[in-house]
Amino acid sequence: MENIDAIAALQDPVRRRLYEYVAAQGREVGRNEAAEAAGVARTLAAHHLDRLVEVGLLESGSRRLTGRSGPGAGRPAKVYTRAPGERAVSLPARDYRTAAELLAEAAEQAGLDAGLRAAARSRGEALRGSAAPCGGLAEVMEVLAARGYEPHLEDAEGADGAEGADEPSGAAGRVVRMRNCPFHAVAERFPPLVCGMNLALLEGLLGADGPVRARMDARPGECCVVVEESKNNHY
């Protein structure tokens, strides 16, 4: 019932906009920022944000948003981030996660890594269909967003770029990272197997012979795969 209550909380359109905005930032968000993004008053945003905390979709804390400390720095403000837990509802009840974990365990014990990667690459190619390989990072962002990876563009220094914006020609060191891994629960238990499968899937989906390439670059709290422009990009 908790999962049903949590998902039902997103039925309110304002609450859903607030949740989606906070979740997309990958950092702490204050009430004023969230209210402005959702186009509502701060008091209304605070009510809905706290409701999202109550049902377990967000977590809250407090810090000084001015970046200063000591006398005159102001009182700490309430901030929000997406809660790490997963929420799903299936009627009638299904347990695909246990099946996935059992299959992953059997594949790992049998040494079927190569076969799984081959199957994942073929599935990615099938999902891409007759479309050409992704032509650049902007297109990569669209493809990954449609599959729930929550991509964001990052420069060589680790700063976020404008999500969905066309990247400048010849931009060096820019990579697409992903705040969500659709296989997170199983990847936590079988990281080499599942991360290798994920990489192969994305190679097939994005096109391994195009101007972009996927590679492993694990970072805590994010997908283990990143996408960058190929060093041999002559397109």
mmCIF file of all heavy atoms in Angstrom, residues 24-76:
data_model
loop_
_atom_site.group_PDB
_atom_site.id
_atom_site.type_symbol
_atom_site.label_atom_id
_atom_site.label_comp_id
_atom_site.label_asym_id
_atom_site.label_seq_id
_atom_site.Cartn_x
_atom_site.Cartn_y
_atom_site.Cartn_z
ATOM 1 N N ALA A 24 15.206 15.866 -11.383
ATOM 2 C CA ALA A 24 16.058 16.114 -12.550
ATOM 3 C C ALA A 24 17.329 16.884 -12.215
ATOM 4 O O ALA A 24 18.275 16.879 -13.013
ATOM 5 C CB ALA A 24 15.277 16.890 -13.606
ATOM 6 N N GLN A 25 17.386 17.521 -11.047
ATOM 7 C CA GLN A 25 18.534 18.381 -10.758
ATOM 8 C C GLN A 25 19.770 17.615 -10.277
ATOM 9 O O GLN A 25 20.890 18.064 -10.468
ATOM 10 C CB GLN A 25 18.162 19.445 -9.716
ATOM 11 C CG GLN A 25 16.981 20.316 -10.118
ATOM 12 C CD GLN A 25 17.067 20.796 -11.547
ATOM 13 O OE1 GLN A 25 18.024 21.449 -11.944
ATOM 14 N NE2 GLN A 25 16.047 20.453 -12.334
ATOM 15 N N GLY A 26 19.562 16.478 -9.617
ATOM 16 C CA GLY A 26 20.708 15.725 -9.109
ATOM 17 C C GLY A 26 21.433 16.438 -7.985
ATOM 18 O O GLY A 26 22.621 16.202 -7.747
ATOM 19 N N ARG A 27 20.753 17.311 -7.276
ATOM 20 C CA ARG A 27 21.345 18.071 -6.165
ATOM 21 C C ARG A 27 20.217 18.545 -5.259
ATOM 22 O O ARG A 27 19.035 18.345 -5.549
ATOM 23 C CB ARG A 27 22.111 19.283 -6.691
ATOM 24 C CG ARG A 27 21.265 20.218 -7.550
ATOM 25 C CD ARG A 27 21.976 21.484 -7.941
ATOM 26 N NE ARG A 27 21.205 22.263 -8.898
ATOM 27 C CZ ARG A 27 20.183 23.047 -8.594
ATOM 28 N NH1 ARG A 27 19.784 23.139 -7.314
ATOM 29 N NH2 ARG A 27 19.538 23.727 -9.527
ATOM 30 N N GLU A 28 20.578 19.189 -4.153
ATOM 31 C CA GLU A 28 19.572 19.733 -3.247
ATOM 32 C C GLU A 28 18.886 20.950 -3.876
ATOM 33 O O GLU A 28 19.535 21.781 -4.501
ATOM 34 C CB GLU A 28 20.214 20.133 -1.922
ATOM 35 C CG GLU A 28 20.751 18.953 -1.137
ATOM 36 C CD GLU A 28 21.496 19.380 0.108
ATOM 37 O OE1 GLU A 28 22.102 20.476 0.094
ATOM 38 O OE2 GLU A 28 21.476 18.628 1.099
ATOM 39 N N VAL A 29 17.591 21.038 -3.684
ATOM 40 C CA VAL A 29 16.795 22.133 -4.243
ATOM 41 C C VAL A 29 16.011 22.794 -3.117
ATOM 42 O O VAL A 29 15.360 22.115 -2.320
ATOM 43 C CB VAL A 29 15.813 21.605 -5.320
ATOM 44 C CG1 VAL A 29 14.900 22.726 -5.795
ATOM 45 C CG2 VAL A 29 16.582 21.010 -6.484
ATOM 46 N N GLY A 30 16.082 24.132 -3.047
ATOM 47 C CA GLY A 30 15.343 24.870 -2.038
ATOM 48 C C GLY A 30 13.910 25.135 -2.458
ATOM 49 O O GLY A 30 13.527 24.967 -3.625
ATOM 50 N N ARG A 31 13.096 25.575 -1.501
ATOM 51 C CA ARG A 31 11.683 25.813 -1.767
ATOM 52 C C ARG A 31 11.471 26.921 -2.793
ATOM 53 O O ARG A 31 10.604 26.809 -3.660
ATOM 54 C CB ARG A 31 10.970 26.151 -0.463
ATOM 55 C CG ARG A 31 10.763 24.947 0.446
ATOM 56 C CD ARG A 31 10.198 25.365 1.785
ATOM 57 N NE ARG A 31 9.734 24.216 2.550
ATOM 58 C CZ ARG A 31 9.284 24.288 3.802
ATOM 59 N NH1 ARG A 31 9.243 25.474 4.422
ATOM 60 N NH2 ARG A 31 8.865 23.203 4.431
ATOM 61 N N ASN A 32 12.231 28.001 -2.696
ATOM 62 C CA ASN A 32 12.045 29.113 -3.631
ATOM 63 C C ASN A 32 12.332 28.679 -5.071
ATOM 64 O O ASN A 32 11.592 29.013 -5.996
ATOM 65 C CB ASN A 32 12.957 30.282 -3.254
ATOM 66 C CG ASN A 32 12.488 31.004 -2.004
ATOM 67 O OD1 ASN A 32 11.315 30.906 -1.625
ATOM 68 N ND2 ASN A 32 13.379 31.728 -1.351
ATOM 69 N N GLU A 33 13.425 27.948 -5.248
ATOM 70 C CA GLU A 33 13.787 27.480 -6.586
ATOM 71 C C GLU A 33 12.722 26.550 -7.151
ATOM 72 O O GLU A 33 12.324 26.666 -8.311
ATOM 73 C CB GLU A 33 15.138 26.765 -6.548
ATOM 74 C CG GLU A 33 15.580 26.219 -7.890
ATOM 75 C CD GLU A 33 16.850 25.393 -7.821
ATOM 76 O OE1 GLU A 33 17.525 25.423 -6.756
ATOM 77 O OE2 GLU A 33 17.167 24.716 -8.813
ATOM 78 N N ALA A 34 12.256 25.611 -6.315
ATOM 79 C CA ALA A 34 11.249 24.657 -6.769
ATOM 80 C C ALA A 34 9.944 25.361 -7.114
ATOM 81 O O ALA A 34 9.287 25.046 -8.110
ATOM 82 C CB ALA A 34 11.017 23.594 -5.702
ATOM 83 N N ALA A 35 9.560 26.333 -6.284
ATOM 84 C CA ALA A 35 8.323 27.072 -6.538
ATOM 85 C C ALA A 35 8.404 27.836 -7.853
ATOM 86 O O ALA A 35 7.447 27.839 -8.643
ATOM 87 C CB ALA A 35 8.057 28.033 -5.382
ATOM 88 N N GLU A 36 9.532 28.479 -8.092
ATOM 89 C CA GLU A 36 9.700 29.227 -9.338
ATOM 90 C C GLU A 36 9.642 28.297 -10.546
ATOM 91 O O GLU A 36 9.024 28.621 -11.570
ATOM 92 C CB GLU A 36 11.018 29.993 -9.314
ATOM 93 C CG GLU A 36 11.248 30.857 -10.535
ATOM 94 C CD GLU A 36 12.536 31.665 -10.454
ATOM 95 O OE1 GLU A 36 13.188 31.634 -9.391
ATOM 96 O OE2 GLU A 36 12.876 32.322 -11.453
ATOM 97 N N ALA A 37 10.293 27.137 -10.426
ATOM 98 C CA ALA A 37 10.309 26.186 -11.543
ATOM 99 C C ALA A 37 8.911 25.663 -11.846
ATOM 100 O O ALA A 37 8.565 25.429 -13.002
ATOM 101 C CB ALA A 37 11.251 25.031 -11.231
ATOM 102 N N ALA A 38 8.091 25.465 -10.812
ATOM 103 C CA ALA A 38 6.754 24.922 -10.993
ATOM 104 C C ALA A 38 5.716 26.005 -11.271
ATOM 105 O O ALA A 38 4.569 25.693 -11.610
ATOM 106 C CB ALA A 38 6.331 24.121 -9.765
ATOM 107 N N GLY A 39 6.117 27.266 -11.101
ATOM 108 C CA GLY A 39 5.195 28.362 -11.363
ATOM 109 C C GLY A 39 4.109 28.510 -10.324
ATOM 110 O O GLY A 39 2.974 28.859 -10.650
ATOM 111 N N VAL A 40 4.457 28.248 -9.036
ATOM 112 C CA VAL A 40 3.471 28.367 -7.957
ATOM 113 C C VAL A 40 4.063 29.176 -6.813
ATOM 114 O O VAL A 40 5.274 29.438 -6.777
ATOM 115 C CB VAL A 40 3.040 26.972 -7.443
ATOM 116 C CG1 VAL A 40 2.372 26.171 -8.549
ATOM 117 C CG2 VAL A 40 4.238 26.201 -6.884
ATOM 118 N N ALA A 41 3.225 29.548 -5.864
ATOM 119 C CA ALA A 41 3.686 30.291 -4.700
ATOM 120 C C ALA A 41 4.549 29.405 -3.801
ATOM 121 O O ALA A 41 4.389 28.179 -3.770
ATOM 122 C CB ALA A 41 2.495 30.821 -3.912
ATOM 123 N N ARG A 42 5.449 30.044 -3.056
ATOM 124 C CA ARG A 42 6.367 29.299 -2.203
ATOM 125 C C ARG A 42 5.624 28.474 -1.162
ATOM 126 O O ARG A 42 5.994 27.334 -0.873
ATOM 127 C CB ARG A 42 7.324 30.263 -1.506
ATOM 128 C CG ARG A 42 8.361 29.590 -0.616
ATOM 129 C CD ARG A 42 9.229 30.614 0.087
ATOM 130 N NE ARG A 42 10.295 29.995 0.863
ATOM 131 C CZ ARG A 42 10.133 29.480 2.081
ATOM 132 N NH1 ARG A 42 8.931 29.508 2.645
ATOM 133 N NH2 ARG A 42 11.159 28.937 2.717
ATOM 134 N N THR A 43 4.558 29.037 -0.564
ATOM 135 C CA THR A 43 3.823 28.299 0.465
ATOM 136 C C THR A 43 3.161 27.053 -0.103
ATOM 137 O O THR A 43 3.148 25.999 0.544
ATOM 138 C CB THR A 43 2.753 29.202 1.112
ATOM 139 O OG1 THR A 43 1.940 29.790 0.072
ATOM 140 C CG2 THR A 43 3.407 30.311 1.924
ATOM 141 N N LEU A 44 2.624 27.153 -1.312
ATOM 142 C CA LEU A 44 2.018 25.980 -1.945
ATOM 143 C C LEU A 44 3.081 24.950 -2.288
ATOM 144 O O LEU A 44 2.884 23.737 -2.089
ATOM 145 C CB LEU A 44 1.256 26.400 -3.202
ATOM 146 C CG LEU A 44 0.546 25.272 -3.966
ATOM 147 C CD1 LEU A 44 -0.484 24.581 -3.075
ATOM 148 C CD2 LEU A 44 -0.109 25.800 -5.230
ATOM 149 N N ALA A 45 4.223 25.413 -2.799
ATOM 150 C CA ALA A 45 5.316 24.490 -3.114
ATOM 151 C C ALA A 45 5.781 23.768 -1.855
ATOM 152 O O ALA A 45 6.023 22.555 -1.877
ATOM 153 C CB ALA A 45 6.470 25.255 -3.758
ATOM 154 N N ALA A 46 5.907 24.504 -0.741
ATOM 155 C CA ALA A 46 6.353 23.894 0.514
ATOM 156 C C ALA A 46 5.399 22.797 0.956
ATOM 157 O O ALA A 46 5.826 21.712 1.398
ATOM 158 C CB ALA A 46 6.477 24.965 1.597
ATOM 159 N N HIS A 47 4.086 23.058 0.828
ATOM 160 C CA HIS A 47 3.084 22.053 1.208
ATOM 161 C C HIS A 47 3.252 20.778 0.385
ATOM 162 O O HIS A 47 3.278 19.664 0.929
ATOM 163 C CB HIS A 47 1.680 22.632 1.008
ATOM 164 C CG HIS A 47 0.599 21.604 1.042
ATOM 165 N ND1 HIS A 47 0.170 20.999 2.207
ATOM 166 C CD2 HIS A 47 -0.144 21.048 0.028
ATOM 167 C CE1 HIS A 47 -0.779 20.117 1.926
ATOM 168 N NE2 HIS A 47 -0.993 20.128 0.619
ATOM 169 N N HIS A 48 3.380 20.924 -0.919
ATOM 170 C CA HIS A 48 3.487 19.750 -1.786
ATOM 171 C C HIS A 48 4.832 19.039 -1.617
ATOM 172 O O HIS A 48 4.897 17.801 -1.645
ATOM 173 C CB HIS A 48 3.290 20.162 -3.241
ATOM 174 C CG HIS A 48 1.865 20.441 -3.595
ATOM 175 N ND1 HIS A 48 0.847 19.551 -3.369
ATOM 176 C CD2 HIS A 48 1.287 21.530 -4.173
ATOM 177 C CE1 HIS A 48 -0.299 20.057 -3.783
ATOM 178 N NE2 HIS A 48 -0.057 21.262 -4.288
ATOM 179 N N LEU A 49 5.907 19.794 -1.446
ATOM 180 C CA LEU A 49 7.220 19.179 -1.242
ATOM 181 C C LEU A 49 7.247 18.347 0.035
ATOM 182 O O LEU A 49 7.769 17.225 0.058
ATOM 183 C CB LEU A 49 8.305 20.251 -1.199
ATOM 184 C CG LEU A 49 8.616 20.947 -2.533
ATOM 185 C CD1 LEU A 49 9.444 22.197 -2.299
ATOM 186 C CD2 LEU A 49 9.348 20.001 -3.479
ATOM 187 N N ASP A 50 6.661 18.879 1.094
ATOM 188 C CA ASP A 50 6.632 18.129 2.359
ATOM 189 C C ASP A 50 5.741 16.892 2.239
ATOM 190 O O ASP A 50 6.012 15.858 2.865
ATOM 191 C CB ASP A 50 6.142 19.028 3.489
ATOM 192 C CG ASP A 50 7.182 20.060 3.899
ATOM 193 O OD1 ASP A 50 8.376 19.844 3.612
ATOM 194 O OD2 ASP A 50 6.798 21.085 4.500
ATOM 195 N N ARG A 51 4.694 16.980 1.439
ATOM 196 C CA ARG A 51 3.859 15.802 1.202
ATOM 197 C C ARG A 51 4.657 14.726 0.470
ATOM 198 O O ARG A 51 4.532 13.527 0.776
ATOM 199 C CB ARG A 51 2.619 16.198 0.393
ATOM 200 C CG ARG A 51 1.738 15.032 -0.015
ATOM 201 C CD ARG A 51 1.239 14.233 1.175
ATOM 202 N NE ARG A 51 0.420 13.101 0.771
ATOM 203 C CZ ARG A 51 0.200 12.025 1.524
ATOM 204 N NH1 ARG A 51 0.752 11.941 2.735
ATOM 205 N NH2 ARG A 51 -0.557 11.039 1.088
ATOM 206 N N LEU A 52 5.486 15.131 -0.483
ATOM 207 C CA LEU A 52 6.332 14.173 -1.209
ATOM 208 C C LEU A 52 7.359 13.522 -0.280
ATOM 209 O O LEU A 52 7.732 12.369 -0.479
ATOM 210 C CB LEU A 52 7.028 14.880 -2.375
ATOM 211 C CG LEU A 52 6.099 15.295 -3.525
ATOM 212 C CD1 LEU A 52 6.827 16.228 -4.488
ATOM 213 C CD2 LEU A 52 5.577 14.067 -4.272
ATOM 214 N N VAL A 53 7.795 14.254 0.722
ATOM 215 C CA VAL A 53 8.686 13.668 1.734
ATOM 216 C C VAL A 53 7.922 12.642 2.568
ATOM 217 O O VAL A 53 8.426 11.550 2.873
ATOM 218 C CB VAL A 53 9.278 14.771 2.635
ATOM 219 C CG1 VAL A 53 10.053 14.153 3.809
ATOM 220 C CG2 VAL A 53 10.207 15.674 1.833
ATOM 221 N N GLU A 54 6.693 12.978 2.944
ATOM 222 C CA GLU A 54 5.875 12.082 3.768
ATOM 223 C C GLU A 54 5.671 10.725 3.099
ATOM 224 O O GLU A 54 5.694 9.681 3.772
ATOM 225 C CB GLU A 54 4.512 12.718 4.046
ATOM 226 C CG GLU A 54 4.553 13.889 5.005
ATOM 227 C CD GLU A 54 3.184 14.539 5.151
ATOM 228 O OE1 GLU A 54 2.193 13.939 4.656
ATOM 229 O OE2 GLU A 54 3.102 15.621 5.745
ATOM 230 N N VAL A 55 5.465 10.724 1.795
ATOM 231 C CA VAL A 55 5.206 9.452 1.100
ATOM 232 C C VAL A 55 6.496 8.785 0.631
ATOM 233 O O VAL A 55 6.445 7.725 -0.006
ATOM 234 C CB VAL A 55 4.246 9.654 -0.087
ATOM 235 C CG1 VAL A 55 2.897 10.182 0.392
ATOM 236 C CG2 VAL A 55 4.844 10.570 -1.139
ATOM 237 N N GLY A 56 7.643 9.383 0.912
ATOM 238 C CA GLY A 56 8.915 8.726 0.635
ATOM 239 C C GLY A 56 9.490 8.953 -0.744
ATOM 240 O O GLY A 56 10.461 8.288 -1.121
ATOM 241 N N LEU A 57 8.942 9.899 -1.514
ATOM 242 C CA LEU A 57 9.480 10.156 -2.847
ATOM 243 C C LEU A 57 10.637 11.156 -2.817
ATOM 244 O O LEU A 57 11.491 11.144 -3.706
ATOM 245 C CB LEU A 57 8.374 10.670 -3.775
ATOM 246 C CG LEU A 57 7.281 9.656 -4.113
ATOM 247 C CD1 LEU A 57 6.201 10.306 -4.960
ATOM 248 C CD2 LEU A 57 7.864 8.444 -4.837
ATOM 249 N N LEU A 58 10.646 12.034 -1.828
ATOM 250 C CA LEU A 58 11.737 12.988 -1.647
ATOM 251 C C LEU A 58 12.308 12.852 -0.244
ATOM 252 O O LEU A 58 11.655 12.319 0.655
ATOM 253 C CB LEU A 58 11.247 14.433 -1.843
ATOM 254 C CG LEU A 58 10.719 14.856 -3.216
ATOM 255 C CD1 LEU A 58 10.330 16.324 -3.186
ATOM 256 C CD2 LEU A 58 11.737 14.597 -4.317
ATOM 257 N N GLU A 59 13.533 13.337 -0.075
ATOM 258 C CA GLU A 59 14.144 13.470 1.239
ATOM 259 C C GLU A 59 14.417 14.947 1.486
ATOM 260 O O GLU A 59 14.664 15.702 0.538
ATOM 261 C CB GLU A 59 15.447 12.677 1.322
ATOM 262 C CG GLU A 59 15.235 11.172 1.285
ATOM 263 C CD GLU A 59 16.540 10.402 1.422
ATOM 264 O OE1 GLU A 59 17.617 11.023 1.260
ATOM 265 O OE2 GLU A 59 16.480 9.189 1.688
ATOM 266 N N SER A 60 14.372 15.358 2.736
ATOM 267 C CA SER A 60 14.590 16.760 3.057
ATOM 268 C C SER A 60 15.742 16.922 4.038
ATOM 269 O O SER A 60 16.097 16.001 4.770
ATOM 270 C CB SER A 60 13.320 17.386 3.643
ATOM 271 O OG SER A 60 12.998 16.778 4.879
ATOM 272 N N GLY A 61 16.315 18.103 4.023
ATOM 273 C CA GLY A 61 17.381 18.462 4.941
ATOM 274 C C GLY A 61 17.403 19.972 5.061
ATOM 275 O O GLY A 61 16.458 20.652 4.664
ATOM 276 N N SER A 62 18.481 20.515 5.593
ATOM 277 C CA SER A 62 18.581 21.971 5.704
ATOM 278 C C SER A 62 20.029 22.398 5.521
ATOM 279 O O SER A 62 20.954 21.690 5.934
ATOM 280 C CB SER A 62 18.051 22.453 7.052
ATOM 281 O OG SER A 62 18.813 21.905 8.112
ATOM 282 N N ARG A 63 20.210 23.521 4.869
ATOM 283 C CA ARG A 63 21.531 24.124 4.729
ATOM 284 C C ARG A 63 21.355 25.586 4.342
ATOM 285 O O ARG A 63 20.288 26.018 3.903
ATOM 286 C CB ARG A 63 22.360 23.407 3.670
ATOM 287 C CG ARG A 63 21.854 23.535 2.245
ATOM 288 C CD ARG A 63 22.805 22.861 1.279
ATOM 289 N NE ARG A 63 22.320 22.904 -0.094
ATOM 290 C CZ ARG A 63 22.568 23.900 -0.937
ATOM 291 N NH1 ARG A 63 23.292 24.949 -0.535
ATOM 292 N NH2 ARG A 63 22.103 23.880 -2.184
ATOM 293 N N ARG A 64 22.417 26.363 4.501
ATOM 294 C CA ARG A 64 22.385 27.761 4.109
ATOM 295 C C ARG A 64 22.600 27.866 2.605
ATOM 296 O O ARG A 64 23.631 27.440 2.093
ATOM 297 C CB ARG A 64 23.464 28.548 4.858
ATOM 298 C CG ARG A 64 23.170 28.741 6.347
ATOM 299 C CD ARG A 64 24.186 29.672 6.992
ATOM 300 N NE ARG A 64 23.825 29.996 8.343
ATOM 301 C CZ ARG A 64 24.204 29.292 9.411
ATOM 302 N NH1 ARG A 64 24.973 28.222 9.256
ATOM 303 N NH2 ARG A 64 23.824 29.648 10.625
ATOM 304 N N LEU A 65 21.638 28.422 1.928
ATOM 305 C CA LEU A 65 21.712 28.509 0.479
ATOM 306 C C LEU A 65 22.603 29.648 0.001
ATOM 307 O O LEU A 65 22.943 29.716 -1.179
ATOM 308 C CB LEU A 65 20.304 28.687 -0.107
ATOM 309 C CG LEU A 65 19.332 27.538 0.189
ATOM 310 C CD1 LEU A 65 17.960 27.836 -0.387
ATOM 311 C CD2 LEU A 65 19.856 26.223 -0.370
ATOM 312 N N THR A 66 22.999 30.541 0.913
ATOM 313 C CA THR A 66 23.864 31.658 0.527
ATOM 314 C C THR A 66 25.310 31.234 0.320
ATOM 315 O O THR A 66 26.091 31.956 -0.290
ATOM 316 C CB THR A 66 23.831 32.752 1.594
ATOM 317 O OG1 THR A 66 24.319 32.217 2.841
ATOM 318 C CG2 THR A 66 22.415 33.274 1.794
ATOM 319 N N GLY A 67 25.679 30.056 0.855
ATOM 320 C CA GLY A 67 27.065 29.613 0.759
ATOM 321 C C GLY A 67 27.955 30.223 1.822
ATOM 322 O O GLY A 67 29.146 29.923 1.896
ATOM 323 N N ARG A 68 27.388 31.091 2.671
ATOM 324 C CA ARG A 68 28.163 31.723 3.742
ATOM 325 C C ARG A 68 27.906 31.018 5.063
ATOM 326 O O ARG A 68 26.958 30.254 5.198
ATOM 327 C CB ARG A 68 27.794 33.199 3.865
ATOM 328 C CG ARG A 68 28.122 34.030 2.617
ATOM 329 C CD ARG A 68 27.677 35.465 2.808
ATOM 330 N NE ARG A 68 26.219 35.541 2.937
ATOM 331 C CZ ARG A 68 25.563 36.645 3.314
ATOM 332 N NH1 ARG A 68 26.240 37.754 3.608
ATOM 333 N NH2 ARG A 68 24.248 36.637 3.389
ATOM 334 N N SER A 69 28.749 31.280 6.046
ATOM 335 C CA SER A 69 28.578 30.726 7.379
ATOM 336 C C SER A 69 28.894 31.796 8.403
ATOM 337 O O SER A 69 29.471 32.835 8.079
ATOM 338 C CB SER A 69 29.495 29.501 7.588
ATOM 339 O OG SER A 69 30.851 29.870 7.424
ATOM 340 N N GLY A 70 28.507 31.547 9.645
ATOM 341 C CA GLY A 70 28.782 32.504 10.699
ATOM 342 C C GLY A 70 27.690 33.543 10.836
ATOM 343 O O GLY A 70 26.650 33.481 10.162
ATOM 344 N N PRO A 71 27.898 34.539 11.714
ATOM 345 C CA PRO A 71 26.896 35.587 11.935
ATOM 346 C C PRO A 71 26.540 36.314 10.636
ATOM 347 O O PRO A 71 27.402 36.620 9.831
ATOM 348 C CB PRO A 71 27.597 36.530 12.919
ATOM 349 C CG PRO A 71 28.634 35.682 13.588
ATOM 350 C CD PRO A 71 29.087 34.713 12.551
ATOM 351 N N GLY A 72 25.258 36.566 10.452
ATOM 352 C CA GLY A 72 24.813 37.279 9.267
ATOM 353 C C GLY A 72 24.617 36.409 8.047
ATOM 354 O O GLY A 72 24.246 36.910 6.989
ATOM 355 N N ALA A 73 24.866 35.105 8.170
ATOM 356 C CA ALA A 73 24.744 34.206 7.015
ATOM 357 C C ALA A 73 23.304 33.782 6.769
ATOM 358 O O ALA A 73 23.001 33.201 5.738
ATOM 359 C CB ALA A 73 25.617 32.974 7.211
ATOM 360 N N GLY A 74 22.428 34.079 7.733
ATOM 361 C CA GLY A 74 21.033 33.694 7.562
ATOM 362 C C GLY A 74 20.753 32.302 8.108
ATOM 363 O O GLY A 74 21.665 31.515 8.363
ATOM 364 N N ARG A 75 19.468 32.026 8.279
ATOM 365 C CA ARG A 75 19.064 30.729 8.807
ATOM 366 C C ARG A 75 19.150 29.654 7.736
ATOM 367 O O ARG A 75 18.950 29.941 6.543
ATOM 368 C CB ARG A 75 17.631 30.805 9.334
ATOM 369 C CG ARG A 75 17.456 31.763 10.494
ATOM 370 C CD ARG A 75 15.995 31.886 10.864
ATOM 371 N NE ARG A 75 15.412 30.575 11.185
ATOM 372 C CZ ARG A 75 14.119 30.401 11.436
ATOM 373 N NH1 ARG A 75 13.279 31.422 11.345
ATOM 374 N NH2 ARG A 75 13.669 29.194 11.743
ATOM 375 N N PRO A 76 19.435 28.423 8.142
ATOM 376 C CA PRO A 76 19.418 27.331 7.155
ATOM 377 C C PRO A 76 18.040 27.195 6.526
ATOM 378 O O PRO A 76 17.014 27.374 7.176
ATOM 379 C CB PRO A 76 19.779 26.099 7.996
ATOM 380 C CG PRO A 76 20.487 26.637 9.189
ATOM 381 C CD PRO A 76 19.840 27.966 9.474
#
